[in-house]
Amino acid sequence: MTRAPAPVDLPARPAGSLTVWQGTALYVGAVLGTGVIALPALATRAAGPASLLAWLGLVLLSVPLAATFAALGARYPDGGGVSTYVRHAFGARAAAVVGWCFYFAVPAGAPAAGMFAGAYVAGAFGGGRRTVLVTAGVLLVLVAVANGFGVTVSGRLQLALAVLLVTLLLTAVLTALPHAQLRNLHPFAPHGWSATGSAAALLVWSFAGWEAITHLAADFRRPSRDLPRATAVAVAVVGVLYLAVAATSILVLGQDAGTSDAPLAELLALGIGGTVHVLAATAAVLLTLGTMNAYFAGAARLGAALGRDGALPAWLDRGGSAGEVPRRSPAVVTGLSGLALAATAIADVGPQPLVLLTTGSFVTVYTLGTAAAVRLLPRGGPPHRCALLALAAVAALLVMTGWYLLWPLVITAGALCYQRRRRAVAGR
């Protein structure tokens, strides 16, 4: 039987600064932020109460998926994250593809996240689409500035935001539940059972994030111990809160759960009353800031690692080591995010197309990442069994994603063309 490579946690590696709780907060922010403030409505619109089956399925999928990426991050603590694992398993070309899919998904996803928060702000203060777009732009600037101070500042900020997030969601669920009515579950599948698959494709956005913090594995004090612990706590918190919010939205709001732009605000308004829309808007902005902060931090490390490995220009590599602050990589992500937001404004479309383009890229990342885990993790152990289960589940998601896989195919072509051009230049 072939042995998997030994864990890479070398004494010479600079010590990181992230604690277990800061890592947990980064996970919670990455996975639970914007999805919970907007996607219950989109999923209900797609499949009705049957969308709860999609939520449950993706919560269950999160367990082996998160465990797989935690095991890989503990063994290979490197800023390249999934790109590093794929490079060990399948070589430089595949690593460049998965690295590009993640790196260039963030500029598409960040404006969508900002627009989700902007819908809450517009609901509270008015201004319509202009308010939505301005809010998204301001959030992009704030998260870029926060990451300019390094991962330690980002981790402390994230811990405070995660406490706020959990408190807000528990308040919304517990105060709104007395208004729940079982008749809101009927009809359970108004658009047919196949619509559950469409809802699941949308909800991948909600569960994207288990791979994001692996880019920060080297920034943990003890990656082999702290990363799995942070993952385990985050999986439990995320699973419980997602199911609670999704079920409460349907049981309390009924058909309105699929038409509201700000379902969380509706729950708070029913449960607490008063000027809750203002409170919900403030919380939505902070929660979105947390999600974007986590992804920008991961993308900053990834871009530097891709520059180091030759998958992107080498000048991105500066500041990419643990304990250093990469600034060029997040500057690129910020600029591309601004362009994507501008394109959205000009085309006069909502965030849903950006969500599906982003999830198409993340499903591709998950497919290659879990395939790498099957090859790299010790055979017969629990992490390897989790990787097999995760790969099978992600393959099903790949089918459900449909034509939105065209975007990661375009990204794949770009990555391979860049690699070919780089080799041609080096061979001169």
Side-chain angles (χ1 to χ4, degrees), residues 161-172 241 268:
L161 293 175
V163 171
L164 169 65
L165 170 60
V166 173
T167 302
L168 171 76
L169 296 183
L170 287 177
T171 300
L241 290 178
L268 286 168

Side-chain angles (χ1 to χ4, degrees), residues 60-394:
L60 294 176
L61 169 61
S62 290
V63 177
L65 191 63
T68 297
F69 284 120
L72 286 170
R75 294 176 67 84
Y76 304 96
D78 181 76
V82 183
S83 178
T84 294
Y85 319 145
V86 172
R87 175 163 49 83
H88 281 291
F90 304 120
R93 290 183 179 179
V97 168
V98 76
W100 275 49
C101 281
F102 184 99
Y103 190 71
F104 291 108
V106 175
M115 291 171 73
F116 286 150
Y120 276 75
V121 176
F125 301 104
R129 182 168 176 78
R130 177 177 296 181
T131 299
V132 172
L133 294 173
V134 170
T135 301
V138 170
L139 286 172
L140 286 175
V141 173
L142 289 176
V143 79
V145 171
N147 276 272
F149 290 98
V151 72
T152 300
V153 173
S154 291
R156 290 171 180 166
L157 170 66
Q158 199 74 18
L159 186 57
L161 293 175
V163 171
L164 169 65
L165 170 60
V166 173
T167 302
L168 171 76
L169 296 183
L170 287 177
T171 300
V173 169
L174 294 177
T175 58
L177 267 180
H179 301 275
Q181 299 182 40
L182 288 177
R183 68 167 180 264
N184 286 330
L185 293 175
H186 302 286
F188 190 72
H191 307 299
W193 294 105
S194 62
T196 305
S198 300
L202 277 170
L203 293 179
V204 171
W205 168 283
S206 297
F207 291 89
W210 299 119
E211 81 300 332
I213 310 307
T214 59
H215 299 287
L216 304 175
D219 290 289
F220 280 84
R221 292 176 181 173
R222 292 183 59 182
S224 60
R225 180 198 67 179
D226 295 345
L227 185 59
R229 289 182 179 180
T231 303
V233 176
V235 167
V237 172
V238 166
V240 169
L241 290 178
Y242 261 151
L243 288 174
V245 171
T248 303
S249 296
I250 291 174
L251 287 169
V252 173
L253 301 178
Q255 294 183 354
D256 291 340
T259 59
S260 173
D261 288 330
L264 189 59
E266 299 292 339
L267 293 181
L268 286 168
L270 280 172
I272 301 175
T275 58
V276 175
H277 281 73
V278 174
L279 173 63
T282 303
V285 167
L286 294 175
L287 299 178
T288 303
L289 183 63
T291 301
M292 293 169 68
N293 179 53
Y295 271 96
F296 266 58
R301 290 289 183 211
L302 172 60
L306 292 175
R308 176 200 65 198
D309 297 336
L312 282 175
W315 59 268
L316 285 173
D317 183 29
R318 178 173 292 184
S321 300
E324 296 181 348
V325 181
R327 291 191 172 91
R328 294 179 177 180
S329 179
V332 170
V333 173
T334 303
L336 292 176
S337 298
L339 290 175
L341 181 62
T344 301
I346 293 170
D348 195 23
V349 296
Q352 185 165 337
L354 290 176
V355 169
L356 289 169
L357 289 174
T358 304
T359 56
S361 295
F362 281 128
V363 169
T364 304
V365 170
Y366 286 156
T367 302
L368 290 171
T370 52
V374 169
R375 187 162 187 175
L376 293 174
L377 296 176
R379 296 180 182 275
H384 189 263
R385 288 195 289 271
C386 283
L388 288 170
L389 183 58
L391 178 59
V394 168

